[in-house]
Amino acid sequence: GIASVVAGHPLDTVKTRLQAGQGYGNTLKCVLTVYRNESVGGFFKGMSFPLASIGIYSSVVFGVFSNTQRFLSQLRHGEAATAPSLTDMTLASLVAGVISVGIGTPVELVKIRLQMQTQPYTKANVKLKPTVPGSPVYRGPIHCFRTILQKEGIAGVYRGNVAMLLRDVPGYCAYFIPYAMFCDWITPDGSISPNPFSIWLAGGVAGAVSWALCTPMDVVKSRLQADGVYLNQYKGTIDCMLQSYQNEGLKVFFRGLMVNTVRGFPSSAAMFLGYELSLKAMKRCQTETNP
């Protein structure tokens, strides 16, 4: 999980700015604007909170996925170690997607608020909160979380959870299933397990596919969670979708598509490689401890 955050966060910042910010134009212009105004540090805004919590988040998601597969195999075939079917993987992915939202929504919210808090807001006839747009609202992730909790309550902490559910439930199906299929396809016949390069490549392809398919709902989620730094523009998921479409047309739902797809490869490649190598190391350690 930590490996995926380090590999993907700079492009995640660019993606969030493109989806929820204003005046960035295309990806290259966004990158240059962030660097010019905030230097290299601007690309790493909001990284500390995901970095601190991603271990728990990833272990829950991967743990739920793996254990659901084992449970279904035990239920269907009477043996947990049986290779899972496509149906089993789909059900396990859906369960993992639902569970992930409970943990992931507050983390995503804090990350996006920190990424977006210095963005200028230009909208006529809107009474803004006392904080001047362009100046930091939050001192850091803990202050951000505490401020949201105090001002907006539990509902505020889980702002954007419906959009995240609509993104992650199908998203994890397009994440775990392509990984398993592609990994199986590129692993040579006779090999007991895929080699590190196969894991890295399969994980990267799965991440690129998943993030490309999830971009429309990712745009809605980013806008809902960024909303609230200075004012509350959207009443909910449907309102956000309608306002975004009315103001910017259908193309708004594909903002950050290229960045999402490109970022998905190194981020997910690092995630799956770290996961598989960690499992192998722990199994080896157990074998040596209990021969």
Side-chain angles (χ1 to χ4, degrees):
I2 290 169
S4 75
V5 172
V6 173
H9 195 83
L11 282 176
D12 183 71
T13 299
V14 174
K15 179 265 298 184
T16 303
R17 298 281 179 92
L18 281 169
Q19 290 178 342
Q22 295 181 358
Y24 286 110
N26 56 40
T27 304
L28 180 60
K29 186 181 175 185
C30 181
V31 171
L32 292 173
T33 303
V34 173
Y35 179 74
R36 193 182 302 117
N37 295 340
E38 303 166 62
S39 78
V40 176
F43 295 102
F44 293 92
K45 281 191 173 170
M47 191 175 85
S48 58
F49 196 54
L51 205 59
S53 57
I54 194 70
I56 298 169
Y57 176 77
S58 298
S59 64
V60 169
V61 169
F62 277 75
V64 166
F65 174 74
S66 300
N67 284 296
T68 303
Q69 278 193 147
R70 288 196 192 96
F71 172 75
L72 291 170
S73 294
Q74 181 75 45
L75 203 65
R76 289 171 187 270
H77 312 290
E79 177 57 58
T82 306
S85 65
L86 182 61
T87 305
D88 292 346
M89 281 194 286
T90 303
L91 285 171
S93 300
L94 292 173
V95 173
V98 171
I99 297 297
S100 74
V101 174
I103 303 170
T105 303
V107 176
E108 288 276 305
L109 178 69
V110 170
K111 180 199 74 176
I112 285 177
R113 290 285 177 93
L114 290 171
Q115 286 173 328
M116 295 300 296
Q117 67 171 335
T118 57
Q119 299 313 289
Y121 191 87
T122 54
K123 191 172 179 71
N125 303 318
V126 173
K127 186 178 180 182
L128 295 173
K129 292 179 181 179
T131 308
V132 177
S135 63
V137 181
Y138 312 111
R139 294 192 293 271
I142 303 300
H143 178 250
C144 178
F145 183 81
R146 194 169 61 238
T147 303
I148 295 168
L149 191 60
Q150 287 173 348
K151 292 184 177 179
E152 304 172 51
I154 294 294
V157 171
Y158 280 90
R159 185 173 178 79
N161 62 339
V162 174
M164 194 165 173
L165 194 68
L166 293 172
R167 183 196 74 172
D168 284 3
V169 170
Y172 276 114
C173 289
Y175 189 60
F176 286 116
I177 295 172
Y179 169 73
M181 294 175 72
F182 196 72
C183 212
D184 184 59
W185 180 58
I186 61 176
T187 300
D189 292 336
S191 297
I192 299 172
S193 60
N195 59 48
F197 176 75
S198 298
I199 294 167
W200 179 85
L201 188 60
V205 170
V209 169
S210 176
W211 278 107
L213 291 173
C214 290
T215 296
M217 285 314 302
D218 190 46
V219 171
V220 177
K221 182 200 73 71
S222 294
R223 290 189 161 209
L224 277 169
Q225 293 186 326
D227 188 41
V229 177
Y230 301 118
L231 71 153
N232 290 314
Q233 183 181 349
Y234 308 115
K235 296 182 181 73
T237 304
I238 301 297
D239 183 51
C240 180
M241 292 170 71
L242 290 173
Q243 282 197 48
S244 298
Y245 176 72
Q246 287 166 0
N247 295 334
E248 299 167 70
L250 195 61
K251 65 180 181 181
V252 70
F253 298 109
F254 296 94
R255 273 195 183 185
L257 174 63
M258 188 183 78
V259 181
N260 250 349
T261 306
V262 171
R263 179 184 69 93
F265 191 98
S267 178
S268 297
M271 173 81 85
F272 276 105
L273 186 60
Y275 171 71
E276 298 286 4
L277 293 181
S278 297
L279 273 183
K280 284 181 181 178
M282 285 186 280
K283 284 176 182 176
R284 189 164 58 245
C285 197
Q286 282 181 334
T287 306
E288 291 170 358
T289 308
N290 304 303

